[in-house]
Amino acid sequence: MSDVELDVRESEEEAAAVVAVRLARAARDGASIVLTGGTTPALAYTDAARLESDWSKAVAWWGDERCVPPEHELSNFGLAKRTLLDLLEAQPREVHRIRGELGKEAAAAEYDRKLAGAELDLLLLGVGPDGHVASLFPNEPTLDLDGRALPAEARLEPFVDRVTMSLPMLCSAGEVLFLITGESKAEAVRRAFAAPPSRETPASLVRARTGRTTAILDRAAAARLQA
Ligand code: 6PG
């Protein structure tokens, strides 16, 4: 497993700006980019769209999705559509939305087929306060499964069924880029990057198998890392 490069910035805005530059460059280079959900990435997505509005060479994937329609407020695709895709002058040449509305089993099976042979260049991840990544939750059997995409049950708000990339799929990315901000994540950050890998903290198990793993943090999220 490669080490993690930690990049601590003063504020959430600065952390988002660093990720935005990486996303814009990847889009310009025609990369396969895996977007994440939740709330943290919204600022980075909007900044990235401002830095680069032509994503026509890029391919968009999602690390996980909630089993709701795409226009639902809980949809990870919906978040990216509102804060990134709708702001672009040119859409990604491929947008692989996880069709969560099919239900977790059918949607996971369809996404698993889509991911066959896919090479992921830049994988963006948030981390929950419990240390989950994508929809891989602490101590869940999904952590032990191979395959590419899995059905999952939420163990943290929002309690809706999920589809998630598997641990091996996440680690297959050329580069893993965490974006984590806020004091509520400080303990999860310590367990993820300054403690031994553990099934208690799925974020501690995600490292790019052959490439770089970087964590962009703000001071609040980094508060429990040794100075
Ligand atoms: C999801 C997300 C999830 C997210 C973390 C952090 O579907 O819930 O993909 O893995 O990245 O829960 O979420 P926040 O950014 O809202 O703190």
Side-chain angles (χ1 to χ4, degrees):
M1 285 261 192
S2 57
D3 288 335
V4 182
E5 183 187 328
L6 299 177
D7 180 345
V8 181
R9 298 295 167 131
E10 276 311 310
S11 68
E12 175 185 6
E13 291 76 13
E14 283 183 52
V18 172
V19 169
V21 167
R22 295 300 326 284
L23 288 170
R25 188 186 310 147
R28 212 171 289 134
D29 293 347
S32 282
I33 301 167
V34 184
L35 300 172
T36 191
T39 55
T40 304
L43 204 48
Y45 290 163
T46 303
D47 285 356
R50 192 172 31 250
L51 290 172
E52 181 52 72
S53 66
D54 178 356
W55 281 45
S56 58
K57 292 193 288 184
V59 174
W61 299 91
W62 275 261
D64 74 322
E65 185 55 277
R66 290 81 178 270
C67 290
V68 296
E71 63 280 359
H72 192 285
E73 62 172 356
L74 290 179
S75 166
N76 288 340
F77 170 82
L79 169 80
K81 185 176 186 302
R82 290 190 302 277
T83 60
L84 173 63
L85 300 179
D86 286 352
L87 309 182
L88 299 177
E89 282 177 19
Q91 293 297 300
R93 61 188 172 87
E94 292 173 26
V95 175
H96 295 291
R97 180 176 77 81
I98 303 172
R99 295 201 298 162
E101 66 274 20
L102 300 177
K104 65 179 186 293
E105 302 294 345
E110 179 184 76
Y111 199 51
D112 187 86
R113 287 190 297 274
K114 277 188 177 180
L115 281 165
E119 292 200 2
L120 308 177
D121 299 308
L122 179 62
L123 178 102
L124 181 63
L125 279 179
V127 174
D130 61 346
H132 82 263
V133 286
S135 285
L136 296 172
F137 292 92
N139 300 312
E140 285 292 293
T142 45
L143 290 171
D144 307 310
L145 297 179
D146 287 334
R148 298 175 285 262
L150 308 168
E153 292 177 13
R155 296 295 184 237
L156 201 67
E157 288 288 352
F159 290 102
V160 292
D161 279 346
R162 311 292 188 90
V163 174
T164 185
M165 280 186 183
S166 67
L167 200 52
M169 194 76 218
L170 296 177
C171 294
S172 76
E175 178 172 3
V176 174
L177 183 63
F178 288 95
L179 172 58
I180 315 167
T181 60
E183 62 182 338
S184 70
K185 308 294 178 74
E187 177 55 15
V189 163
R190 186 192 65 78
R191 297 204 318 260
F193 306 121
S198 161
R199 297 174 85 261
E200 299 274 345
T201 308
S204 70
L205 304 176
V206 179
R207 302 292 185 264
R209 202 172 301 127
T210 56
R212 275 171 56 184
T213 304
T214 309
I216 311 295
L217 312 166
D218 69 356
R219 282 248 171 269
R224 294 193 183 186
L225 294 175
Q226 293 303 327

